[in-house]
Amino acid sequence: MHWATHWGYAPSTDRAPDWREQGACRDVDPDLFFPVGTTGPALAQEEDARAVCHSCPVMLTCQQWALDTRLEDGIAGGMTAHERVLHRRRQRRTAS
Ligand code: SF4
């Protein structure tokens, strides 16, 4: 399975390249970005996924997309789903 299908995006050959085509994760097993659990091996997996994101030329774009679309699962833009929830909560507090 192509990595991008995990993010709800199917690459197409008949349109301009999307930022996702530049993702450092495009040749990485997509399962890396979906650790199961919150302890032990899952934490190590989370750090490995985060390391891929931190080497990615489109990390900030991906991170903003994940926040804007309220992506519920997986690590994207170097953030876990839980971190995205906390980030949105902080933004709401700041705005009010
Ligand atoms: S930031 Fe991470 S999840 Fe997003 S495109 Fe880059 S490597 Fe993939």
Side-chain angles (χ1 to χ4, degrees), residues 3-34:
W3 68 275
T5 57
H6 273 285
W7 309 125
Y9 164 75
S12 166
T13 53
D14 61 358
R15 60 183 227 200
D18 187 277
W19 59 266
R20 281 162 277 209
E21 300 280 4
Q22 301 168 46
C25 57
R26 69 186 180 281
D27 296 322
V28 176
D29 182 351
D31 288 345
L32 179 67
F33 295 85
F34 295 88

Side-chain angles (χ1 to χ4, degrees), residues 2-78:
H2 188 280
W3 68 275
T5 57
H6 273 285
W7 309 125
Y9 164 75
S12 166
T13 53
D14 61 358
R15 60 183 227 200
D18 187 277
W19 59 266
R20 281 162 277 209
E21 300 280 4
Q22 301 168 46
C25 57
R26 69 186 180 281
D27 296 322
V28 176
D29 182 351
D31 288 345
L32 179 67
F33 295 85
F34 295 88
V36 177
T38 55
T39 58
L43 286 180
Q45 185 179 338
E46 185 180 301
E47 285 313 306
D48 287 348
R50 218 187 282 274
V52 175
C53 291
H54 283 277
S55 74
C56 178
V58 292
M59 186 179 92
L60 293 180
T61 303
C62 179
Q63 188 179 92
Q64 194 59 53
W65 169 82
L67 289 166
D68 290 347
T69 60
R70 297 179 176 271
L71 187 68
E72 291 184 1
D73 296 313
I75 294 163

